[in-house]
């Protein structure tokens, strides 16, 4: 069977496929996909655990803001998180652009997000705004696509979003979700890491870790059917743990942790 035919067979039913990625109406389909796919739900849950663990030491008193919260269910585990999105999704606490955050300076203890940075058209403005809003000791913790041998092959051959490591820190075309370059996190924090440190000396890079080589892929993500029975999740999680030393070659995601130091 040809690759295109195989992918068509694996696609979710028409009732769950999204036509206009930037339409707020899609959120109902996205939430339903996540809720009905145990592999995907458990993978996101593990992402939340990682993020919440990393912000345990941030200064008290400031808000914890999640960016890009449309399909998030993080409040099930951390009700104190303030959810936000650029699109007016039902159930999201606040609607604003991350390029113009309507919050006072030094008022946020942490910004957290999953798969947001690679949809941001102007990364410099993005980090300037978060740096302005963060208290000293506050953190930015994000989970984004990694650029490894395995992930690059998957993203460039099987994903609808572009993955171009040769580009800059942003892009011009597309809307809030349809516009993207999945390689931007790697571009900023690996290829151009020294440049980031020169431009944002107040945002110290505390940790960058590649991870999750198989779970999200085998969940089918938001476009394809789950590829393994749900009872396999624990076994696959254990396999990924054993393969941790090889995540620099296999990881499909990376967790990036920044701290405002002054």
């Amino acid at each position: 069977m040809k690759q295109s035919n195989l992918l068509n067979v694996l696609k979710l039913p028409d009732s769950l496929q999204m036509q206009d990625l930037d339409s707020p109406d899609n959120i109902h389909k996205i939430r339903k996909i996540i809720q009905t796919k145990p592999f995907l739900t458990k993978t996101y849950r593990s992402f939340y655990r990682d993020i919440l663990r990393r912000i345990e030491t941030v200064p008290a008193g400031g808000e914890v803001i999640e960016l890009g919260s449309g399909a998030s269910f993080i409040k099930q585990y951390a009700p104190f998180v303030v959810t936000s999105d650029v699109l007016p999704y039902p159930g999201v606490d606040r609607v604003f652009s991350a390029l113009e955050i309507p919050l006072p300076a030094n008022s946020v203890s942490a910004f957290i997000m999953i798969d947001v940075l690679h949809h941001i058209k102007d990364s410099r403005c993005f980090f300037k705004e978060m740096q302005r809003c963060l208290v000293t000791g506050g953190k930015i913790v994000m989970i984004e696509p990694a650029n490894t041998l395995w992930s690059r092959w998957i993203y460039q051959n099987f994903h609808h979003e572009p993955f171009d490591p040769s580009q800059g820190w942003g892009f011009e075309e597309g809307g809030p979700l349809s516009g993207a370059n999945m390689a931007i996190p790697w571009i900023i924090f690996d290829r151009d890491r020294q440049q980031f440190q020169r431009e944002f000396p107040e945002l110290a890079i505390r940790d960058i870790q590649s991870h999750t080589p198989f779970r999200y892929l085998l969940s089918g993500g938001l476009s394809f059917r789950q590829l393994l029975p749900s009872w396999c999740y624990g076994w696959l999680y254990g396999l990924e743990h054993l393969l941790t030393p090889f995540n620099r070659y296999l990881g499909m995601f990376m967790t990036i942790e920044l701290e405002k130091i002054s």
Side-chain angles (χ1 to χ4, degrees):
M1 185 180 291
K2 293 182 179 180
Q3 184 185 91
S4 59
N5 292 335
L6 177 60
L7 292 180
N8 286 331
V9 170
L10 294 176
K11 280 185 177 179
L12 291 170
D14 291 342
S15 61
L16 292 176
Q17 292 182 25
M18 291 164 280
Q19 304 301 320
D20 178 6
L21 292 177
D22 297 314
S23 170
D25 294 337
N26 280 324
I27 197 62
H28 303 292
K29 292 183 178 180
I30 295 172
R31 289 173 177 173
K32 184 175 180 180
I33 291 169
I34 295 173
Q35 291 168 0
T36 57
K37 297 174 74 173
F39 250 70
L40 194 55
T41 303
K42 291 179 180 179
T43 299
Y44 277 123
R45 188 184 303 157
S46 72
F47 288 176
Y48 293 148
R49 284 199 301 266
D50 182 24
I51 290 172
L52 293 171
R53 175 182 60 81
R54 291 172 181 270
I55 65 169
E56 288 177 345
T57 58
V58 299
E63 294 186 304
V64 175
I65 307 288
E66 182 186 41
L67 301 176
S69 303
S72 170
F73 53 97
I74 195 169
K75 278 183 176 286
Q76 293 181 15
Y77 312 104
F80 60 86
V81 172
V82 177
T83 56
S84 72
D85 206 288
V86 69
L87 294 174
Y89 294 128
V92 170
D93 295 326
R94 297 178 187 170
V95 178
F96 60 81
S97 167
L99 301 182
E100 192 173 353
I101 301 174
L103 295 172
N106 306 308
S107 63
V108 177
S109 291
F111 285 104
I112 61 178
M113 65 206 81
I114 297 175
D115 285 338
V116 170
L117 176 59
H118 70 271
H119 288 287
I120 298 294
K121 292 186 175 182
D122 186 343
S123 295
R124 286 180 172 85
C125 180
F126 180 64
F127 285 112
K128 285 178 182 177
E129 275 293 86
M130 288 191 290
Q131 179 176 267
R132 177 186 66 83
C133 293
L134 280 174
V135 301
T136 300
K139 288 186 177 182
I140 302 167
V141 182
M142 64 185 83
I143 294 179
E144 291 285 334
N147 182 11
T148 63
L149 290 172
W150 173 239
S151 70
R152 186 165 59 250
W153 182 74
I154 293 293
Y155 291 142
Q156 291 181 337
N157 289 281
F158 301 99
H159 204 281
H160 68 277
E161 293 176 350
F163 187 96
D164 188 350
S166 69
Q167 295 300 307
W169 289 27
F171 52 90
E172 296 182 359
E173 302 297 326
L177 292 182
S178 60
N181 178 7
M182 299 177 76
I184 284 177
W186 175 85
I187 290 169
I188 295 174
F189 293 106
D190 192 304
R191 190 193 74 184
D192 296 346
R193 178 169 180 154
Q194 291 184 347
Q195 183 177 341
F196 177 85
Q197 291 173 319
R198 287 194 300 269
E199 293 190 28
F200 297 95
E202 294 183 14
L203 295 178
I205 301 173
R206 293 305 189 202
D207 192 27
I208 299 177
Q209 288 189 3
S210 296
H211 55 84
T212 316
F214 305 122
R215 279 178 292 147
Y216 186 88
L217 178 65
L218 293 173
S219 78
L222 297 174
S223 301
F224 299 99
R225 301 174 190 272
Q226 183 173 300
L227 302 180
L228 286 178
S230 300
W231 60 262
C232 292
Y233 180 87
W235 175 85
L236 192 60
Y237 185 89
L239 175 63
E240 285 190 339
H241 180 72
L242 291 174
L243 293 174
T244 297
F246 303 98
N247 275 339
R248 68 177 66 182
Y249 310 108
L250 296 175
M252 286 190 63
F253 292 88
M254 61 179 178
T255 300
I256 302 159
E257 180 181 338
L258 312 177
E259 180 179 349
K260 183 177 177 181
I261 57 176
S262 62

